[in-house]
């Protein structure tokens, strides 16, 4: 079936870490995230569909696509966002993090 998903790649800063001898740390960290995402189900955590690497070796995760996209970008694009909405985003994030930890 047709489905829109989010494909998340490792940030440039993390790739720089990996090329400076931190590749094993990057791999372990990514493996932990993948293991956690495979098992967790919570309203405030995106659904995980899979992971892989590009032909150039760049790791990526495939998750559900959230309606408003990336929260960081959404906040940057809406600088006048009302405080009640900002607080709601913070609470949703905290609820998801609390479930994982």
């Amino acid at each position: 079936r047709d489905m829109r998903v989010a494909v998340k790649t490792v940030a440039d800063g993390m790739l720089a870490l990996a090329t400076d001898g931190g590749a094993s740390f990057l791999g372990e960290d990514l493996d932990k995230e993948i293991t956690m995402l495979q098992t967790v189900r919570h309203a405030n955590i995106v659904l995980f569909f899979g992971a892989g690497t590009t032909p150039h070796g760049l790791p990526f995760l495939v998750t559900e696509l959230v309606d408003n996209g990336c929260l960081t970008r959404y906040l940057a694009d809406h600088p006048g966002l009302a405080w009640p909405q900002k607080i709601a985003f913070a609470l949703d994030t905290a609820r998801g993090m609390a479930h994982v930890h």
Side-chain angles (χ1 to χ4, degrees):
R1 72 182 186 174
D2 290 337
M3 176 187 303
R4 293 181 58 186
V5 298
V7 178
K8 301 175 183 187
T9 57
V10 175
D12 289 340
M14 290 300 290
L15 285 178
L17 171 68
T19 58
D20 288 338
S24 64
F25 171 77
L26 176 64
E28 291 171 15
D29 198 41
L30 192 58
D31 285 344
K32 287 179 187 176
E33 184 169 355
I34 290 168
T35 300
M36 182 273 303
L37 286 171
Q38 286 175 332
T39 59
V40 71
R41 295 291 180 264
H42 189 272
N44 299 111
I45 300 174
V46 295
L47 287 175
F48 174 76
F49 296 124
T53 56
T54 67
H56 300 296
L58 179 68
F60 65 87
L61 301 176
V62 181
T63 65
E64 72 176 306
L65 182 64
V66 181
D67 288 338
N68 290 316
C70 171
L71 179 58
T72 302
R73 185 174 305 128
Y74 185 85
L75 293 173
D77 290 346
H78 298 85
L81 193 64
W83 275 103
Q85 185 61 57
K86 290 178 185 179
I87 292 168
F89 285 149
L91 287 172
D92 285 346
T93 302
R95 287 181 187 111
M97 293 299 292
H99 181 76
V100 172
H101 295 285

